[in-house]
Coordinates of all heavy atoms in Angstrom, one line a residue:
Q2 N 180.3 75.3 123.6 CA 179.0 74.9 123.1 C 178.0 75.9 123.1 O 177.2 76.1 122.2 CB 178.6 73.6 123.9 CG 177.2 73.1 123.4 CD 177.3 72.4 122.1 OE1 178.3 72.0 121.6 NE2 176.1 72.4 121.4
S4 N 178.4 79.2 123.1 CA 178.6 80.3 122.1 C 178.3 79.8 120.7 O 177.8 80.5 119.9 CB 180.0 80.8 122.1 OG 180.9 80.1 122.8
A13 N 170.9 81.4 111.9 CA 169.7 80.8 111.4 C 168.6 81.8 111.3 O 167.8 81.9 110.3 CB 169.3 79.6 112.2
T16 N 169.5 84.3 108.3 CA 169.4 83.7 107.0 C 168.0 83.3 106.6 O 167.7 83.2 105.5 CB 170.3 82.5 106.8 OG1 170.0 81.5 107.8 CG2 171.8 82.9 106.9
I29 N 174.3 87.5 93.5 CA 174.2 86.8 92.3 C 174.1 87.8 91.1 O 174.7 87.7 90.1 CB 172.9 85.8 92.2 CG1 173.1 84.8 93.3 CG2 172.7 85.2 90.9 CD1 174.3 83.9 93.1
T35 N 179.2 91.3 86.4 CA 180.6 91.3 86.2 C 181.1 90.3 85.2 O 182.2 90.3 84.8 CB 181.4 91.0 87.6 OG1 181.0 89.7 88.0 CG2 181.1 92.1 88.6
I49 N 181.8 82.0 91.9 CA 180.4 81.8 92.4 C 180.3 80.3 92.8 O 179.6 80.0 93.8 CB 179.4 82.2 91.3 CG1 178.0 82.3 92.0 CG2 179.3 81.2 90.2 CD1 177.9 83.4 93.0
T57 N 176.9 76.7 101.3 CA 176.0 75.6 101.5 C 176.6 74.6 102.5 O 175.8 74.1 103.4 CB 175.8 74.9 100.1 OG1 175.2 75.8 99.2 CG2 174.9 73.7 100.3
Q76 N 160.4 67.7 122.0 CA 160.3 66.4 122.6 C 160.1 66.6 124.1 O 159.3 65.9 124.8 CB 161.5 65.6 122.3 CG 161.4 64.1 122.8 CD 160.2 63.5 122.1 OE1 160.1 63.5 120.8 NE2 159.3 62.9 122.8
A85 N 152.1 65.1 132.5 CA 151.1 65.8 133.3 C 149.7 65.4 133.0 O 148.8 65.7 133.8 CB 151.3 67.3 132.9
L96 N 160.3 58.0 123.9 CA 160.2 56.9 122.8 C 161.4 57.0 121.8 O 161.8 56.0 121.2 CB 158.9 57.1 122.0 CG 157.6 56.5 122.7 CD1 156.5 56.8 121.7 CD2 157.8 55.0 123.0
E98 N 164.3 57.1 122.1 CA 165.5 56.4 122.5 C 165.3 54.9 122.2 O 166.3 54.1 122.4 CB 165.8 56.6 123.9 CG 166.1 58.1 124.3 CD 167.3 58.7 123.5 OE1 168.2 57.9 123.2 OE2 167.2 59.8 123.2
T110 N 150.2 49.6 117.6 CA 149.2 49.6 118.6 C 148.4 50.8 118.5 O 147.1 50.8 118.5 CB 149.9 49.6 120.0 OG1 150.7 48.4 120.1 CG2 148.9 49.7 121.1

Side-chain angles (χ1 to χ4, degrees):
Q2 178 68 27
S4 18
T16 57
I29 298 298
T35 62
I49 197 67
T57 301
Q76 190 60 53
L96 280 180
E98 300 300 326
T110 299

